[in-house]
Amino acid sequence: MAHIITEHEVLAVVFQVRVPASADTDGKPALHVLLWQRALDPERGRWSLPGGRLGADEDLTSSVRRQLAEKVDLRELAHLEQLAVFSDPIRVPGPRTIASSFLGLVPSPATPELPSDTCWHAVSDLPPMAFDHGPMVEHARIRLGAKLSYTNIGFALAPDEFALSTLRDIYSAALGHHVDATNLQRVLERRNVITRTGTTARSGRSGGRPAALYRFADSRYRVTDEFAALRPPG
Amino acid sequence: MAHIITEHEVLAVVFQVRVPASADTDGKPALHVLLWQRALDPERGRWSLPGGRLGADEDLTSSVRRQLAEKVDLRELAHLEQLAVFSDPIRVPGPRTIASSFLGLVPSPATPELPSDTCWHAVSDLPPMAFDHGPMVEHARIRLGAKLSYTNIGFALAPDEFALSTLRDIYSAALGHHVDATNLQRVLERRNVITRTGTTARSGRSGGRPAALYRFADSRYRVTDEFAALRPPG
DNA sequence: GCAAAAGTGTTTACGCTACACCCATGA
DNA sequence: TCATGGGTGTAGCGTAAACACTTTTGC
């Protein structure tokens, strides 16, 4: 078996729920992904995931943190997790390069500074993507949806404190379907994922009862509903 | 950032449910993993996962299939799936090597020929393991347990046709806890994971009613219970 | 008939969805 | 007082665990 040089790169799919900049949608928040536009060939003009080559003395997670720091303030990054490996020998031109994709999450109200070549794009309306980065985004989106169902990963998309209607909008944007705020509350409270702060928000522009504020009980990733079936006895 | 040569290897955690060779346990089947014993340094004498270096013109899956073929007849392998990446810069001595771990499954009654340095070990009683291969086995075991709950992956551990009590023993061995055959039947039938063949087994050594035979409806991996919670409206 | 093993029925419990209804506020 | 949005109660549905009971076989 011949061995040639194999490179390894990391690529981060960084999501945030944002209200779209343009007034095209009705102001409803939507799931966005962080992309930068390639200024040089190959694939000049197309949009890329942040990331790049693995350094000699770093593991994958350190590498992706280092390279993401060039695009966003890492303090804004509430969650980072390895997802998949893309290993097609011809997935990019040039030397054979294996890519590990990561899922990164930025909480909703944060508006990190971005370099001029970098911006947020609605996942439902992606620009022309470089290489195999389009499928990587799609894969990450599906994993995020699944993980919202059985983990507390929402903490990494939500503000520190929030009204339930805000949280519903975030879940709804990330899952891509309508979410009932009432049931969301009870599911997450039963699992001890969220707790009331005791304070309330001021009521909105057009009146209405002031919303109770909640926060996530835990700001570290945790599986909250491990078994879909075939639970252990007990 | 300095770049040095980075190697990439694949390692397969191949599981099978087997009745232990020794008469230590009471003949109950248990989950086993395929290991080979290193004849040379480093880590001489310790036990290793099958696998090795990625070739130039193959993707990860092709590579692991090629390298597994040296240990077992690939026709016995009913399922193969990529799991995780281990990227600690000093996880093995010598050139920096990233490892991708795979989950492989061999159906229960098969008894593939093995090279003399290779044999099955009960997962509950592992021998001294080389490098970070011990944690890899543990990680794969946990993933297998989770996937048994929400996919049809059992097809890759079970015979073509089987009595429900056999299937219960297989699930029980893989999950590590008692499983009720009655409930297993209903869960898997409701999801259309198993179907009756219409035939029955001959009744056993000590009498008893002959068992109806079942088979898996699908012998390709399929998610059967996607949502633990937060289902889309319907 | 009797023991052994397989299969069925039934009860209980739990979690999620849906929806009607009640509550608190600003104008 | 009314419109608006937040919060609660509750009924219904689906799924799973537990376990007693019935059926079918060999001896």
Side-chain angles (χ1 to χ4, degrees), chain B residues 122-138:
Chain B
V123 170
S124 59
D125 185 27
L126 289 179
M129 301 284 292
F131 313 118
D132 51 0
H133 293 195
M136 287 183 188
V137 173
E138 178 59 10

Side-chain angles (χ1 to χ4, degrees), chain B residues 45-69:
Chain B
R46 291 180 172 259
W47 293 81
S48 259
L49 294 172
R53 225 194 253 134
L54 182 69
D57 55 357
E58 49 184 11
D59 64 15
L60 293 178
T61 305
S62 316
S63 182
V64 74
R65 295 193 82 88
R66 170 179 63 81
Q67 308 203 54
L68 266 181

Side-chain angles (χ1 to χ4, degrees), chain B residues 104-128:
Chain B
L105 299 176
V106 173
S108 222
T111 48
E113 292 272 321
L114 299 179
S116 60
D117 63 353
T118 304
C119 66
W120 296 100
H121 290 265
V123 170
S124 59
D125 185 27
L126 289 179

Side-chain angles (χ1 to χ4, degrees), chain B:
Chain B
M1 204 68 219
H3 297 108
I4 59 166
I5 296 163
T6 297
E7 310 248 338
H8 202 113
E9 68 176 348
V10 292
L11 293 167
V13 182
V14 180
F15 285 132
Q16 186 184 29
V17 175
R18 307 169 59 83
V19 281
S22 48
D24 47 356
T25 40
D26 47 352
K28 275 285 165 210
L31 190 68
H32 286 65
V33 61
L34 189 71
L35 301 175
W36 62 278
Q37 189 168 29
R38 304 179 69 85
L40 302 173
D41 279 325
E43 307 261 338
R44 172 175 8 185
R46 291 180 172 259
W47 293 81
S48 259
L49 294 172
R53 225 194 253 134
L54 182 69
D57 55 357
E58 49 184 11
D59 64 15
L60 293 178
T61 305
S62 316
S63 182
V64 74
R65 295 193 82 88
R66 170 179 63 81
Q67 308 203 54
L68 266 181
E70 299 167 9
K71 301 293 180 190
V72 287
D73 186 342
L74 281 186
R75 285 169 303 184
E76 310 280 18
L77 198 71
H79 181 72
L80 186 66
E81 169 191 11
Q82 204 227 309
L83 282 188
V85 176
F86 293 76
S87 64
D88 187 329
I90 55 168
R91 56 170 289 278
V92 297
R96 193 267 170 83
T97 305
I98 294 169
S100 291
S101 69
F102 277 74
L103 171 65
L105 299 176
V106 173
S108 222
T111 48
E113 292 272 321
L114 299 179
S116 60
D117 63 353
T118 304
C119 66
W120 296 100
H121 290 265
V123 170
S124 59
D125 185 27
L126 289 179
M129 301 284 292
F131 313 118
D132 51 0
H133 293 195
M136 287 183 188
V137 173
E138 178 59 10
H139 177 261
R141 199 188 56 73
I142 290 171
R143 294 304 306 143
L144 173 62
K147 279 167 189 277
L148 280 173
S149 281
Y150 66 86
T151 73
N152 70 340
I153 203 172
F155 79 86
L157 289 174
D160 252 19
E161 302 195 350
F162 47 84
L164 258 162
S165 55
T166 308
L167 191 65
R168 186 223 332 150
D169 289 342
I170 291 172
Y171 271 69
S172 181
L175 290 169
H177 61 73
H178 175 260
V179 174
D180 184 311
T182 302
N183 295 329
L184 184 65
Q185 172 195 14
R186 284 191 276 227
V187 168
L188 297 184
E189 276 191 329
R190 191 187 1 255
R191 297 183 186 168
N192 296 314
V193 171
I194 59 174
T195 52
R196 313 180 86 110
T197 64
T199 55
T200 60
R202 278 212 308 285
S203 59
R205 44 248 154 257
S206 54
R209 175 173 173 176
L213 293 179
Y214 291 77
R215 64 159 50 95
F216 276 85
D218 218 325
S219 51
R220 204 165 291 281
Y221 182 72
R222 189 160 61 84
V223 172
T224 58
D225 185 19
E226 187 166 6
F227 297 98
L230 302 177
R231 297 177 182 77

Side-chain angles (χ1 to χ4, degrees), chain A residues 106-178:
Chain A
V106 173
S108 223
T111 47
E113 292 273 320
L114 300 180
S116 61
D117 63 353
T118 304
C119 66
W120 296 99
H121 289 265
V123 170
S124 60
D125 185 27
L126 288 178
M129 301 284 291
F131 312 119
D132 50 0
H133 294 196
M136 287 182 186
V137 173
E138 178 60 10
H139 177 261
R141 199 187 56 73
I142 290 171
R143 295 304 306 142
L144 172 62
K147 278 164 189 279
L148 280 173
S149 282
Y150 64 87
T151 74
N152 70 341
I153 203 173
F155 79 86
L157 288 174
D160 253 18
E161 302 194 351
F162 46 84
L164 259 163
S165 54
T166 307
L167 192 65
R168 187 226 327 152
D169 289 342
I170 291 171
Y171 271 68
S172 181
L175 289 170
H177 60 74
H178 175 262

